[in-house]
Amino acid sequence: MKILLKIMYDGKGFHGFQAQPGLRTVQGELTEKLARLFGAPVMVTGCSRTDSGVHALGFCVTAERQDKKDITLPVSKITHAAPGILPQDITVAAAAVVDDEFHPRYSVVKKKYVYKIWDSHIVPPFMRGHVLEYKKHISDDAILLMKEAAEHFKGTHDFTSFMAQGSKIVDATRTVFETDVYRDSEGCLCFSVSADGFLYNMVRIMTGTLLSVAEGKVSPSDIPRIIENRDRNGAGETVPPQGLYLKEVTYPFPVNWE
Amino acid sequence: MKILLKIMYDGKGFHGFQAQPGLRTVQGELTEKLARLFGAPVMVTGCSRTDSGVHALGFCVTAERQDKKDITLPVSKITHAAPGILPQDITVAAAAVVDDEFHPRYSVVKKKYVYKIWDSHIVPPFMRGHVLEYKKHISDDAILLMKEAAEHFKGTHDFTSFMAQGSKIVDATRTVFETDVYRDSEGCLCFSVSADGFLYNMVRIMTGTLLSVAEGKVSPSDIPRIIENRDRNGAGETVPPQGLYLKEVTYPFPVNWE
């Protein structure tokens, strides 16, 4: 019996998602604490491997007993029971029973990320660790240029230019479905992007490139050439992890969330 | 030479504003760190004494050298220099030079507080310590009743019913200027209130009373009688500190913020 959990986490206190000996990770915490909730050793599998400091608003994991036996806690009780067991920086937002064949990573058809930039030198304490502290104001005109540049990411491309050097990916072709650059209700400048998959550091390099556009170093019309060149050095810098949020993952069938 | 600073702080990590030996407080941190910024021992005076866990978005403090000499750092540089010296949970939003007679507490003519309630059992990790975790959904109809009840706080009243028992205040008369109950862009249910001054726990008892209205235990039209009775037992419970934000203080003259 496999349970799919939609979780949120504040990446500040974690060395990323993936379990690593001796380090506090999201997978490590879930594996330990869900065992207590389900009354047996548990195997936890994630939809992605987020880096240290990266946050999640709609991350998906599956959890199953190592002995594959049924989980007796009704799925409808999980979101109510989880806060008493999980640490303060992980929240279970929804739960569902899924088929044993379901894989939270391989089944994904779309992932959406948001990168948040705080573009003022006055950084409210509540934002710390949750945004890129860019410190310089980005004008409305520059935002329009960033939005125009981000449009060029759409479509199916070889995104080698937007992949961390040294990645062992053979085929860097990905399809970007949607992009947007906008200011949210809290005043953060946000870059959102959805695709069928992402290369290592792809969103962070895209964001760095959009900041080069805001700074006038790159023009929106340069983006297609930067993509075509398949050269990491042509794109902007890799911005730090703390502005990045995994917003949503989509599966090819409806999930019966409870 | 006196400098007025508008500061924000995340109350999570502080035992309130006021300095206390052996405890981490906002006044304690500012006194220590501003001495480094101004190159001499400093005296810091606050506009209010917030409790442990209470947050601030627009708290005002004055800072002056203990030897009363001029602060050589130009006031226009303070907001830029402060992040390098202050801890992550305190931000200087603005600074101004004020007269030596200025007192950040006695000069206040209006203070505004906001209390944030998270009314779902799914609490995003980013909200923890920054809202009251109320866990039950509050309907739009209940919000309208809370708003109607809050209207009755307006005006000049003896607010003994909304003051912590054991307070040594002789005259509990205060004038409430504005109240509102609304849902903010993050989804928090907010109660905002401005007055010429507040009694100990006044906003937290008002909020507890509004939650009694939401729960149908108190009707909006009961509020005038609760005020008139001058009996703490007639009002609702004191909600916890972590939902409370000092939003703004107003002085009777314009401040030349830089």
Short mmCIF file of all heavy atoms in Angstrom, two decimals, chain B residues 134-180:
data_model
loop_
_atom_site.label_atom_id
_atom_site.label_comp_id
_atom_site.label_asym_id
_atom_site.label_seq_id
_atom_site.Cartn_x
_atom_site.Cartn_y
_atom_site.Cartn_z
N TYR B 134 -5.09 28.59 14.33
CA TYR B 134 -6.46 28.42 14.83
C TYR B 134 -7.05 27.09 14.36
O TYR B 134 -7.90 26.50 14.99
CB TYR B 134 -7.31 29.60 14.35
CG TYR B 134 -8.70 29.62 14.91
CD1 TYR B 134 -8.92 29.85 16.27
CD2 TYR B 134 -9.80 29.42 14.08
CE1 TYR B 134 -10.20 29.88 16.78
CE2 TYR B 134 -11.08 29.47 14.58
CZ TYR B 134 -11.28 29.69 15.93
OH TYR B 134 -12.55 29.72 16.43
N LYS B 135 -6.61 26.65 13.16
CA LYS B 135 -6.87 25.31 12.62
C LYS B 135 -8.28 25.08 12.07
O LYS B 135 -8.46 24.28 11.17
CB LYS B 135 -6.50 24.21 13.63
CG LYS B 135 -5.04 24.38 14.08
CD LYS B 135 -4.30 23.12 14.34
CE LYS B 135 -2.81 23.38 14.39
NZ LYS B 135 -2.03 22.33 14.98
N LYS B 136 -9.30 25.80 12.61
CA LYS B 136 -10.66 25.63 12.05
C LYS B 136 -10.93 26.75 11.06
O LYS B 136 -10.53 27.89 11.27
CB LYS B 136 -11.70 25.74 13.18
CG LYS B 136 -11.76 24.53 14.07
CD LYS B 136 -12.52 24.85 15.36
CE LYS B 136 -11.68 25.71 16.29
NZ LYS B 136 -12.28 25.96 17.62
N HIS B 137 -11.62 26.45 9.98
CA HIS B 137 -11.95 27.46 8.98
C HIS B 137 -12.97 28.46 9.52
O HIS B 137 -13.93 28.08 10.18
CB HIS B 137 -12.50 26.79 7.72
CG HIS B 137 -12.92 27.79 6.68
ND1 HIS B 137 -12.02 28.62 6.03
CD2 HIS B 137 -14.14 28.13 6.21
CE1 HIS B 137 -12.67 29.40 5.19
NE2 HIS B 137 -13.96 29.12 5.28
N ILE B 138 -12.74 29.73 9.27
CA ILE B 138 -13.68 30.78 9.66
C ILE B 138 -14.38 31.25 8.39
O ILE B 138 -13.73 31.68 7.43
CB ILE B 138 -12.96 31.93 10.38
CG1 ILE B 138 -12.33 31.40 11.69
CG2 ILE B 138 -13.91 33.09 10.67
CD1 ILE B 138 -11.54 32.41 12.49
N SER B 139 -15.70 31.13 8.37
CA SER B 139 -16.48 31.43 7.16
C SER B 139 -16.55 32.93 6.90
O SER B 139 -16.31 33.74 7.79
CB SER B 139 -17.90 30.89 7.31
OG SER B 139 -18.60 31.68 8.28
N ASP B 140 -16.91 33.27 5.66
CA ASP B 140 -17.07 34.68 5.31
C ASP B 140 -18.14 35.35 6.17
O ASP B 140 -18.01 36.52 6.54
CB ASP B 140 -17.45 34.80 3.82
CG ASP B 140 -16.27 34.46 2.91
OD1 ASP B 140 -15.13 34.35 3.42
OD2 ASP B 140 -16.49 34.30 1.70
N ASP B 141 -19.21 34.61 6.48
CA ASP B 141 -20.27 35.15 7.35
C ASP B 141 -19.72 35.47 8.73
O ASP B 141 -20.03 36.52 9.31
CB ASP B 141 -21.42 34.15 7.48
CG ASP B 141 -22.25 34.08 6.20
OD1 ASP B 141 -22.08 34.96 5.33
OD2 ASP B 141 -23.06 33.14 6.08
N ALA B 142 -18.90 34.55 9.26
CA ALA B 142 -18.32 34.77 10.59
C ALA B 142 -17.37 35.96 10.57
O ALA B 142 -17.30 36.74 11.53
CB ALA B 142 -17.59 33.52 11.06
N ILE B 143 -16.66 36.15 9.44
CA ILE B 143 -15.74 37.29 9.32
C ILE B 143 -16.52 38.61 9.37
O ILE B 143 -16.10 39.57 10.03
CB ILE B 143 -14.89 37.18 8.02
CG1 ILE B 143 -13.94 35.98 8.11
CG2 ILE B 143 -14.10 38.46 7.77
CD1 ILE B 143 -13.19 35.65 6.83
N LEU B 144 -17.69 38.61 8.71
CA LEU B 144 -18.53 39.82 8.75
C LEU B 144 -18.99 40.12 10.18
O LEU B 144 -19.02 41.29 10.59
CB LEU B 144 -19.74 39.66 7.82
CG LEU B 144 -19.42 39.75 6.32
CD1 LEU B 144 -20.69 39.52 5.50
CD2 LEU B 144 -18.80 41.12 5.99
N LEU B 145 -19.32 39.08 10.94
CA LEU B 145 -19.72 39.28 12.34
C LEU B 145 -18.55 39.81 13.17
O LEU B 145 -18.73 40.70 14.02
CB LEU B 145 -20.22 37.97 12.96
CG LEU B 145 -21.57 37.44 12.44
CD1 LEU B 145 -21.89 36.09 13.07
CD2 LEU B 145 -22.70 38.44 12.75
N MET B 146 -17.35 39.29 12.92
CA MET B 146 -16.16 39.76 13.64
C MET B 146 -15.90 41.24 13.34
O MET B 146 -15.57 42.02 14.23
CB MET B 146 -14.92 38.93 13.23
CG MET B 146 -14.96 37.49 13.70
SD MET B 146 -13.64 36.48 12.92
CE MET B 146 -12.20 36.99 13.88
N LYS B 147 -16.09 41.57 12.06
CA LYS B 147 -15.87 42.96 11.61
C LYS B 147 -16.88 43.90 12.30
O LYS B 147 -16.51 44.98 12.75
CB LYS B 147 -16.08 42.99 10.09
CG LYS B 147 -15.45 44.15 9.35
CD LYS B 147 -15.64 43.91 7.84
CE LYS B 147 -15.65 45.22 7.08
NZ LYS B 147 -14.29 45.74 6.81
N GLU B 148 -18.12 43.42 12.38
CA GLU B 148 -19.18 44.20 13.04
C GLU B 148 -18.86 44.36 14.53
O GLU B 148 -18.99 45.46 15.09
CB GLU B 148 -20.51 43.46 12.85
CG GLU B 148 -21.73 44.23 13.30
CD GLU B 148 -23.00 43.37 13.28
OE1 GLU B 148 -23.07 42.39 12.48
OE2 GLU B 148 -23.92 43.66 14.09
N ALA B 149 -18.41 43.28 15.15
CA ALA B 149 -18.05 43.34 16.58
C ALA B 149 -16.90 44.31 16.80
O ALA B 149 -16.91 45.12 17.75
CB ALA B 149 -17.67 41.94 17.06
N ALA B 150 -15.90 44.28 15.92
CA ALA B 150 -14.72 45.13 16.06
C ALA B 150 -15.07 46.61 15.96
O ALA B 150 -14.43 47.47 16.58
CB ALA B 150 -13.66 44.74 15.03
N GLU B 151 -16.13 46.90 15.18
CA GLU B 151 -16.60 48.29 15.05
C GLU B 151 -16.94 48.89 16.42
O GLU B 151 -16.74 50.08 16.66
CB GLU B 151 -17.87 48.35 14.19
CG GLU B 151 -17.65 48.13 12.71
CD GLU B 151 -17.08 49.36 12.04
OE1 GLU B 151 -17.56 50.47 12.32
OE2 GLU B 151 -16.13 49.19 11.23
N HIS B 152 -17.46 48.04 17.33
CA HIS B 152 -17.88 48.51 18.65
C HIS B 152 -16.70 48.89 19.54
O HIS B 152 -16.89 49.52 20.58
CB HIS B 152 -18.73 47.45 19.36
CG HIS B 152 -20.08 47.24 18.73
ND1 HIS B 152 -21.06 48.21 18.76
CD2 HIS B 152 -20.60 46.19 18.06
CE1 HIS B 152 -22.14 47.76 18.14
NE2 HIS B 152 -21.88 46.52 17.69
N PHE B 153 -15.46 48.48 19.16
CA PHE B 153 -14.28 48.88 19.94
C PHE B 153 -13.96 50.36 19.71
O PHE B 153 -13.28 50.99 20.53
CB PHE B 153 -13.05 48.05 19.54
CG PHE B 153 -13.13 46.58 19.89
CD1 PHE B 153 -12.61 45.62 19.02
CD2 PHE B 153 -13.69 46.16 21.09
CE1 PHE B 153 -12.66 44.27 19.32
CE2 PHE B 153 -13.74 44.80 21.41
CZ PHE B 153 -13.23 43.86 20.53
N LYS B 154 -14.42 50.89 18.57
CA LYS B 154 -14.06 52.27 18.21
C LYS B 154 -14.59 53.28 19.23
O LYS B 154 -15.65 53.08 19.83
CB LYS B 154 -14.65 52.61 16.83
CG LYS B 154 -13.90 52.00 15.67
CD LYS B 154 -14.43 52.62 14.39
CE LYS B 154 -14.06 51.83 13.16
NZ LYS B 154 -14.79 52.31 11.98
N GLY B 155 -13.84 54.36 19.38
CA GLY B 155 -14.26 55.43 20.28
C GLY B 155 -13.47 55.43 21.57
O GLY B 155 -12.56 54.62 21.75
N THR B 156 -13.82 56.31 22.47
CA THR B 156 -13.11 56.45 23.74
C THR B 156 -13.87 55.67 24.81
O THR B 156 -15.04 55.94 25.07
CB THR B 156 -13.01 57.95 24.13
OG1 THR B 156 -12.37 58.63 23.06
CG2 THR B 156 -12.23 58.13 25.42
N HIS B 157 -13.21 54.66 25.36
CA HIS B 157 -13.85 53.80 26.36
C HIS B 157 -12.85 53.46 27.46
O HIS B 157 -11.64 53.50 27.25
CB HIS B 157 -14.31 52.47 25.74
CG HIS B 157 -15.15 52.58 24.52
ND1 HIS B 157 -16.47 52.98 24.55
CD2 HIS B 157 -14.86 52.34 23.21
CE1 HIS B 157 -16.96 52.98 23.32
NE2 HIS B 157 -16.00 52.60 22.48
N ASP B 158 -13.40 53.06 28.60
CA ASP B 158 -12.58 52.42 29.64
C ASP B 158 -12.48 50.95 29.23
O ASP B 158 -13.47 50.23 29.23
CB ASP B 158 -13.26 52.57 31.00
CG ASP B 158 -12.44 51.93 32.12
OD1 ASP B 158 -11.80 50.88 31.87
OD2 ASP B 158 -12.44 52.47 33.23
N PHE B 159 -11.26 50.52 28.86
CA PHE B 159 -11.06 49.17 28.32
C PHE B 159 -10.58 48.17 29.39
O PHE B 159 -9.86 47.22 29.06
CB PHE B 159 -10.09 49.21 27.14
CG PHE B 159 -10.70 49.70 25.84
CD1 PHE B 159 -10.46 50.98 25.38
CD2 PHE B 159 -11.53 48.86 25.09
CE1 PHE B 159 -11.02 51.43 24.19
CE2 PHE B 159 -12.09 49.31 23.90
CZ PHE B 159 -11.84 50.60 23.45
N THR B 160 -10.99 48.37 30.64
CA THR B 160 -10.60 47.46 31.72
C THR B 160 -10.90 45.99 31.37
O THR B 160 -10.11 45.09 31.69
CB THR B 160 -11.33 47.85 33.02
OG1 THR B 160 -10.92 49.17 33.38
CG2 THR B 160 -11.00 46.89 34.16
N SER B 161 -12.00 45.74 30.67
CA SER B 161 -12.37 44.36 30.29
C SER B 161 -11.35 43.74 29.34
O SER B 161 -11.30 42.52 29.20
CB SER B 161 -13.73 44.35 29.58
OG SER B 161 -14.72 44.93 30.39
N PHE B 162 -10.58 44.60 28.67
CA PHE B 162 -9.61 44.11 27.67
C PHE B 162 -8.18 44.36 28.13
O PHE B 162 -7.29 44.63 27.34
CB PHE B 162 -9.89 44.79 26.33
CG PHE B 162 -11.23 44.41 25.75
CD1 PHE B 162 -12.37 45.15 26.07
CD2 PHE B 162 -11.36 43.30 24.94
CE1 PHE B 162 -13.61 44.79 25.57
CE2 PHE B 162 -12.60 42.93 24.44
CZ PHE B 162 -13.73 43.68 24.75
N MET B 163 -7.99 44.27 29.44
CA MET B 163 -6.66 44.50 30.03
C MET B 163 -6.30 43.28 30.88
O MET B 163 -7.16 42.74 31.58
CB MET B 163 -6.71 45.76 30.89
CG MET B 163 -5.44 46.08 31.63
SD MET B 163 -5.54 47.72 32.43
CE MET B 163 -6.60 47.34 33.84
N ALA B 164 -5.05 42.84 30.79
CA ALA B 164 -4.62 41.69 31.58
C ALA B 164 -4.89 41.96 33.06
O ALA B 164 -4.62 43.06 33.55
CB ALA B 164 -3.13 41.44 31.36
N GLN B 165 -5.43 40.95 33.74
CA GLN B 165 -5.69 41.11 35.17
C GLN B 165 -4.38 41.31 35.91
O GLN B 165 -3.37 40.70 35.56
CB GLN B 165 -6.44 39.89 35.72
CG GLN B 165 -7.96 40.10 35.61
CD GLN B 165 -8.75 38.83 35.77
OE1 GLN B 165 -8.28 37.76 35.43
NE2 GLN B 165 -9.96 38.96 36.27
N GLY B 166 -4.39 42.19 36.90
CA GLY B 166 -3.16 42.45 37.66
C GLY B 166 -2.36 43.62 37.12
O GLY B 166 -1.34 43.98 37.69
N SER B 167 -2.80 44.22 35.99
CA SER B 167 -2.10 45.40 35.45
C SER B 167 -2.24 46.56 36.45
O SER B 167 -3.28 46.70 37.09
CB SER B 167 -2.71 45.83 34.11
OG SER B 167 -2.54 44.82 33.16
N LYS B 168 -1.20 47.36 36.55
CA LYS B 168 -1.22 48.45 37.54
C LYS B 168 -1.61 49.78 36.91
O LYS B 168 -1.16 50.84 37.35
CB LYS B 168 0.14 48.55 38.23
CG LYS B 168 0.36 47.39 39.21
CD LYS B 168 1.74 47.44 39.82
CE LYS B 168 2.05 46.14 40.54
NZ LYS B 168 3.42 45.70 40.30
N ILE B 169 -2.42 49.74 35.86
CA ILE B 169 -2.85 50.96 35.18
C ILE B 169 -3.97 51.61 36.00
O ILE B 169 -4.91 50.93 36.40
CB ILE B 169 -3.37 50.60 33.76
CG1 ILE B 169 -2.25 50.01 32.91
CG2 ILE B 169 -4.02 51.81 33.09
CD1 ILE B 169 -1.20 50.96 32.44
N VAL B 170 -3.88 52.90 36.23
CA VAL B 170 -4.91 53.61 37.00
C VAL B 170 -6.08 53.99 36.08
O VAL B 170 -7.24 53.77 36.40
CB VAL B 170 -4.32 54.86 37.69
CG1 VAL B 170 -5.41 55.61 38.46
CG2 VAL B 170 -3.17 54.47 38.62
N ASP B 171 -5.73 54.54 34.91
CA ASP B 171 -6.78 54.97 33.98
C ASP B 171 -6.73 54.11 32.71
O ASP B 171 -5.79 54.21 31.93
CB ASP B 171 -6.58 56.45 33.64
CG ASP B 171 -7.66 56.95 32.69
OD1 ASP B 171 -8.61 56.20 32.39
OD2 ASP B 171 -7.55 58.11 32.23
N ALA B 172 -7.75 53.27 32.55
CA ALA B 172 -7.77 52.33 31.41
C ALA B 172 -8.52 52.91 30.21
O ALA B 172 -8.91 52.19 29.31
CB ALA B 172 -8.38 51.01 31.84
N THR B 173 -8.69 54.23 30.20
CA THR B 173 -9.40 54.87 29.08
C THR B 173 -8.45 55.02 27.89
O THR B 173 -7.34 55.53 28.02
CB THR B 173 -9.92 56.26 29.50
OG1 THR B 173 -10.76 56.08 30.64
CG2 THR B 173 -10.72 56.89 28.37
N ARG B 174 -8.89 54.52 26.75
CA ARG B 174 -8.12 54.65 25.52
C ARG B 174 -9.08 54.99 24.39
O ARG B 174 -10.28 54.67 24.46
CB ARG B 174 -7.40 53.33 25.17
CG ARG B 174 -6.36 52.87 26.19
CD ARG B 174 -5.13 53.78 26.22
NE ARG B 174 -4.12 53.31 27.16
CZ ARG B 174 -4.08 53.61 28.46
NH1 ARG B 174 -5.03 54.36 29.00
NH2 ARG B 174 -3.10 53.15 29.22
N THR B 175 -8.55 55.59 23.33
CA THR B 175 -9.37 55.91 22.17
C THR B 175 -8.96 55.04 20.99
O THR B 175 -7.81 55.10 20.54
CB THR B 175 -9.23 57.41 21.79
OG1 THR B 175 -9.69 58.19 22.90
CG2 THR B 175 -10.08 57.75 20.57
N VAL B 176 -9.88 54.21 20.55
CA VAL B 176 -9.63 53.37 19.37
C VAL B 176 -10.11 54.15 18.14
O VAL B 176 -11.26 54.59 18.08
CB VAL B 176 -10.35 52.01 19.50
CG1 VAL B 176 -10.30 51.24 18.19
CG2 VAL B 176 -9.73 51.19 20.63
N PHE B 177 -9.20 54.31 17.17
CA PHE B 177 -9.52 55.09 15.97
C PHE B 177 -10.13 54.23 14.86
O PHE B 177 -11.13 54.57 14.27
CB PHE B 177 -8.26 55.78 15.42
CG PHE B 177 -7.58 56.68 16.39
CD1 PHE B 177 -6.26 56.45 16.77
CD2 PHE B 177 -8.25 57.78 16.95
CE1 PHE B 177 -5.61 57.29 17.67
CE2 PHE B 177 -7.61 58.62 17.84
CZ PHE B 177 -6.28 58.38 18.21
N GLU B 178 -9.45 53.13 14.56
CA GLU B 178 -9.88 52.30 13.42
C GLU B 178 -9.79 50.83 13.79
O GLU B 178 -8.87 50.43 14.52
CB GLU B 178 -8.96 52.52 12.21
CG GLU B 178 -8.97 53.91 11.65
CD GLU B 178 -7.59 54.32 11.12
OE1 GLU B 178 -6.58 54.08 11.82
OE2 GLU B 178 -7.54 54.89 10.02
N THR B 179 -10.68 50.03 13.24
CA THR B 179 -10.59 48.57 13.36
C THR B 179 -10.95 47.97 12.00
O THR B 179 -11.69 48.57 11.23
CB THR B 179 -11.57 47.99 14.40
OG1 THR B 179 -12.90 48.29 13.99
CG2 THR B 179 -11.32 48.53 15.80
N ASP B 180 -10.42 46.80 11.73
CA ASP B 180 -10.83 46.08 10.52
C ASP B 180 -10.58 44.59 10.71
O ASP B 180 -9.70 44.20 11.49
CB ASP B 180 -10.07 46.59 9.29
CG ASP B 180 -10.78 46.24 7.98
OD1 ASP B 180 -11.91 45.69 8.01
OD2 ASP B 180 -10.20 46.51 6.91
#
